[in-house]
Amino acid sequence: MSDPDVPKWFLDLAARNPGTRSLTESALRERFGEPSEIELEHGQVWRAGWGDMAVLLLVLELGEGEVRASPVTIDPPAEDENSFVLTSDLTAFPAPATVWTGLTRSVPQRVLDIVVAAWSMDVTTCLMNPASLEPGARLPVGVRRGRSIASDFDDRSMIRADLEDDVDQLGQMPGLPVESPVSPSVTLAAVLGEVDLAALCVALDLSQAAVMKLLRGTTALTASQAVVVARATGIPEEQILSAVRSMPRDLVQAAEHPRWRQVWIARAQRLGTDETQARLDGCQQALALAARQTGGSQTDWDARLRRALNGEEGAPR
Amino acid sequence: MITAFDELQRLGHFGPECLRLVRGLMSEEMRRFPALEPAAGWQQADVEDLVQDFLEQRFAALTTSLLTTARNDESMGRLLRRSIRNWMIDRARKTGTGRVRQLLERVLGESAEFEQVPSGQPGAGQWRLAETPSEPWSGDPRDLIRTANAVQDVRIGRWSSTTRRAPVAARDSLIAVALAVLSAAGGSLEIAQLTHVFLARFPVALDWAVVPLEAGEGLLQADTRTPEEELIAGYDEIDSAGGAVEVVSMLSPQERALVPHLDDVAAAERVLDCRRSNAYQQMSRLREKLTQLAGTGDDRHAVILEVIHLCTPPSE
């Protein structure tokens, strides 16, 4: 750090606080394994986020495609009467952490990024159902109840409101459309009915063979292609998207597991698209692969995704 | 060029890029807190001082938070800005606490109803009702806060735009509350205990957002005052109570825009450009602020209605 713009006090400060190197992504991967190999468990603290929003979450319960989790903050220092403050020897962080059990929510697994800590069963069990704890109940050593926020003018009330908004927004991050028994997924050909193939080729700027693959569903229809098809055929875009893009529930659950998150993020960056589209395209690849295969046994969608995305950056092997 | 996020992940702690990012965000955020602004205006050295103080106090927790939580440069900037803003609010509130304490000491010292316990007696230096021998009080502060809240006809002092700080109660109301609290205590109180009770009774005194953000160069100039002018401005704040126009003048432009929508969270989200919980919190805070600024006099409802009328555009 020989930058002349960096003052001595700053260098001294950094030297006095060396204890955070163990929290870099590379150190976390060494400790907990590659994200592609991770199994979700309660007691894990995950970095979660979408776009420019990022929150730490303590996983309390696992559900189908979602987790019940409480947000955790380290800075700014804040707490309320429904939260618990944990000392650093319980958290593996070099600073106390606040677990906001009053803001516990169900969030989709697709927003989980990387494991940053795994807390003891003792602590996690205590935080899973704080309402059952009597006001004077003994808490694990190193855990204390948060202090209440006395007034709306206390800045901690704003910190809590911002955090609540973030967690609520995480719960609304777009997922893949899931096909239901009453509205099974159909091919684009079925949605469009009689179609002017030549006009569609021109509109999409694709060969006839490529358009046929789209019509049969063996190639993924992108959102931008759906817009073009809607314009060319006069069928509403939403009708086209909802019909041809819904996926089997098991495939959606497999693709939205955090072990695939880094794959979708890397794919979105590489292709200049967003994460949802990257995930959708990957699933349609797996779906197309399944459509070409025979056999009556239940589909292992995780294995199909591995085959369809073999060699992609971060993909599980 | 390496980004702040990449640098943090590579080093495991702050480096030059992170420091640059903190400096940039600090110089933006500090302008939102004119109450903290030095008399001569913000200088580059002030940014450096603030950055140093901020990092000295928050370094370990901030680094941990950013390393574990940030997922890219955008989220790191957002988390860091939130942390800086919170730290600045904390600083503004500490300044406000000191000001309330000084104000109380001045009012108590100038009023014949109060006196300081002479040296050599138990509780020397504490405040008590005049000519009442008493022991130092040692009860539950919540009892005193309840007493302070029960005092009727409390009026908030007129806001001095030149100090650009939140108002406290008018002088006669401060005296009435202090009389009630010291009577209930039945003993002498430390000035810190009294300050605690007054801040619980008048939390708006520490409202950092009371300062209009459009305070421009004119007001900055107005703040370069002599010590005598400071004293006069301080008296102005507590010597007359304000009406609806005064209350409106104490609101930021954003708060004035929010006043007509205090029952409509969707409209509040639009006005404040924020999400639901944040909008609810700001609505609740503004309601409480209006209640406090309107005082507890018989005309308080009329004052609030007039404030709403003054803040509502003619077309609505």
Side-chain angles (χ1 to χ4, degrees):
Chain A
M1 238 189 275
S2 57
D3 192 328
D5 207 22
V6 178
K8 184 174 179 308
W9 66 260
F10 180 76
L11 297 174
D12 294 343
L13 189 62
R16 286 202 305 273
N17 291 275
T20 46
R21 199 179 288 273
S22 61
L23 297 170
T24 61
E25 282 185 10
S26 55
L28 292 173
R29 281 167 197 254
E30 263 181 44
R31 196 182 327 155
F32 297 108
E34 288 300 313
S36 58
E37 308 299 330
I38 290 286
E39 292 301 326
L40 261 172
E41 288 174 18
H42 65 267
Q44 291 172 337
V45 180
W46 281 77
R47 174 192 304 162
W50 203 270
D52 69 349
M53 190 230 299
V55 181
L56 280 187
L57 292 176
L58 169 65
V59 175
L60 298 171
E61 283 175 34
L62 305 180
E64 273 198 11
E66 60 181 26
V67 292
R68 206 168 141 266
S70 297
V72 177
T73 57
I74 301 160
D75 181 82
E79 57 196 78
D80 72 355
E81 63 278 15
N82 295 315
S83 67
F84 291 85
V85 181
L86 277 59
T87 53
S88 55
D89 48 336
L90 290 183
T91 61
F93 304 142
T98 303
V99 183
W100 298 80
T101 50
L103 301 181
T104 299
R105 302 278 191 277
S106 285
V107 297
Q109 291 180 6
R110 61 179 167 273
V111 303
L112 303 179
D113 252 353
I114 185 171
V115 181
V116 300
W119 291 354
S120 74
M121 194 58 65
D122 194 24
V123 170
T124 311
T125 305
C126 156
L127 300 171
M128 275 167 85
N129 192 8
S132 68
L133 294 170
E134 295 293 326
R138 257 181 87 179
L139 298 170
V141 175
V143 179
R144 70 164 173 83
R145 287 178 189 278
R147 297 186 187 96
S148 62
I149 297 174
S151 133
D152 284 326
F153 298 104
D154 188 329
D155 51 302
R156 290 177 301 165
S157 61
M158 184 57 81
I159 294 171
R160 179 176 58 187
D162 282 338
L163 188 61
E164 185 169 18
D165 277 330
D166 283 353
V167 181
D168 284 343
Q169 200 174 347
L170 277 183
Q172 295 160 13
M173 287 299 125
L176 296 176
V178 178
E179 69 181 21
S180 69
V182 289
S183 60
S185 185
V186 293
T187 62
L188 180 61
V191 176
L192 299 183
E194 274 193 32
V195 66
D196 182 344
L197 190 58
L200 210 51
C201 290
V202 172
L204 288 165
D205 193 21
L206 290 174
S207 68
Q208 186 172 323
V211 172
M212 286 306 292
K213 284 182 179 173
L214 284 177
L215 288 168
R216 290 186 191 125
T218 53
T219 299
L221 182 77
T222 66
S224 55
Q225 285 172 331
V227 173
V228 175
V229 173
R231 261 193 228 126
T233 61
I235 295 175
E237 184 188 334
E238 299 74 36
Q239 194 180 331
I240 293 169
L241 288 174
S242 65
V244 302
R245 303 209 312 171
S246 57
M247 306 275 169
R249 177 173 296 279
D250 292 344
L251 170 57
V252 170
Q253 274 191 20
E256 293 189 346
H257 190 282
R259 74 170 62 95
W260 288 99
R261 182 93 198 260
Q262 299 308 315
V263 179
W264 308 133
I265 290 172
R267 177 181 263 237
Q269 281 172 350
R270 195 175 66 248
L271 300 177
T273 182
D274 63 36
E275 193 183 328
T276 305
Q277 185 63 45
R279 185 182 277 120
L280 181 68
D281 291 346
C283 284
Q284 287 192 320
Q285 272 179 253
L287 204 55
L289 189 66
R292 291 200 293 273
Q293 291 177 340
T294 55
S297 61
Q298 195 173 3
T299 310
D300 179 350
W301 287 113
D302 216 49
R304 296 254 192 246
L305 280 167
R306 283 171 208 258
R307 287 189 58 195
L309 304 172
N310 186 28
E312 286 225 18
E313 186 184 337
R317 298 184 190 284
Chain B
M1 194 186 98
I2 191 168
T3 68
F5 175 74
D6 290 338
E7 180 188 73
L8 182 67
Q9 285 295 336
R10 202 178 64 185
L11 298 176
H13 57 76
F14 274 30
E17 288 307 319
C18 292
L19 181 60
R20 261 181 217 113
L21 181 61
V22 176
R23 278 182 181 138
L25 292 175
M26 184 66 82
S27 62
E28 286 174 23
E29 285 299 313
M30 69 187 195
R31 295 178 202 291
R32 297 169 60 94
F33 296 88
L36 291 176
E37 188 169 350
W42 292 112
Q43 311 292 325
Q44 186 54 37
D46 297 318
V47 183
E48 284 300 308
D49 288 347
L50 287 172
V51 167
Q52 184 171 356
D53 285 355
F54 169 66
L55 288 179
E56 289 275 2
Q57 289 172 29
R58 296 275 179 95
F59 199 79
L62 178 68
T63 312
T64 305
S65 171
L66 294 178
L67 268 171
T68 54
T69 316
R71 52 196 305 271
N72 48 33
D73 279 296
E74 292 74 24
S75 58
M76 181 167 160
R78 193 165 178 262
L79 291 164
L80 189 52
R81 184 182 290 280
R82 198 178 275 182
S83 183
I84 289 173
R85 187 173 301 172
N86 167 265
W87 182 79
M88 293 292 284
I89 291 170
D90 230 27
R91 208 174 165 96
R93 286 172 64 85
K94 279 179 186 147
T95 305
T97 302
R99 188 176 67 92
V100 170
R101 180 188 168 116
Q102 286 171 2
L103 195 64
L104 271 175
E105 279 183 314
R106 204 175 69 209
V107 170
L108 295 172
E110 291 168 355
S111 307
E113 290 96 330
F114 311 101
E115 65 183 17
Q116 274 185 294
V117 178
S119 59
Q121 291 185 22
Q126 294 190 355
W127 289 93
R128 65 184 182 191
L129 296 176
E131 296 169 16
T132 54
S134 55
E135 294 292 309
W137 173 83
S138 60
D140 186 341
R142 287 174 295 187
D143 294 336
L144 301 185
I145 293 167
R146 268 192 289 276
T147 301
N149 284 334
V151 176
Q152 294 297 304
D153 201 21
V154 167
R155 288 170 186 279
I156 294 294
R158 189 166 63 84
W159 184 60
S160 166
S161 63
T162 52
T163 64
R164 291 173 288 137
R165 288 173 185 138
V168 195
R171 177 184 297 274
D172 55 348
S173 295
L174 283 173
I175 291 172
V177 173
L179 277 171
V181 168
L182 284 166
S183 299
S188 58
L189 289 169
E190 294 274 7
I191 189 66
Q193 291 171 316
L194 275 168
T195 306
H196 173 72
V197 172
F198 271 77
L199 288 176
R201 172 62 185 83
F202 305 107
V204 72
L206 296 188
D207 183 21
W208 54 274
V210 77
V211 179
L213 293 176
E214 84 273 29
E217 291 304 311
L219 279 182
L220 296 185
Q221 293 305 317
D223 226 14
T224 56
R225 293 169 298 178
T226 64
E228 292 74 24
E229 288 168 334
E230 279 277 356
L231 193 65
I232 292 165
Y235 277 92
D236 278 351
E237 281 181 60
I238 59 168
D239 278 343
S240 60
V245 174
E246 281 293 335
V247 172
V248 172
S249 76
M250 293 180 219
L251 304 179
S252 71
Q254 198 178 44
E255 287 170 331
R256 281 176 220 158
L258 181 60
V259 166
H261 308 291
L262 284 175
D263 295 323
D264 183 352
V265 69
E269 285 178 60
R270 282 195 303 277
V271 167
L272 301 170
D273 189 23
C274 69
R275 290 170 286 158
R276 181 159 289 250
S277 298
N278 194 312
Y280 270 124
Q281 198 279 333
Q282 296 204 51
M283 289 162 75
S284 170
R285 183 162 161 267
L286 182 54
R287 273 193 219 104
E288 177 59 24
K289 184 171 178 173
L290 289 176
T291 305
Q292 287 202 18
L293 294 180
T296 59
D298 293 339
D299 61 346
R300 61 188 183 279
H301 294 301
V303 170
I304 290 178
L305 284 175
E306 182 62 10
V307 169
I308 295 170
H309 173 71
L310 290 171
C311 291
T312 305
S315 57
E316 288 186 25

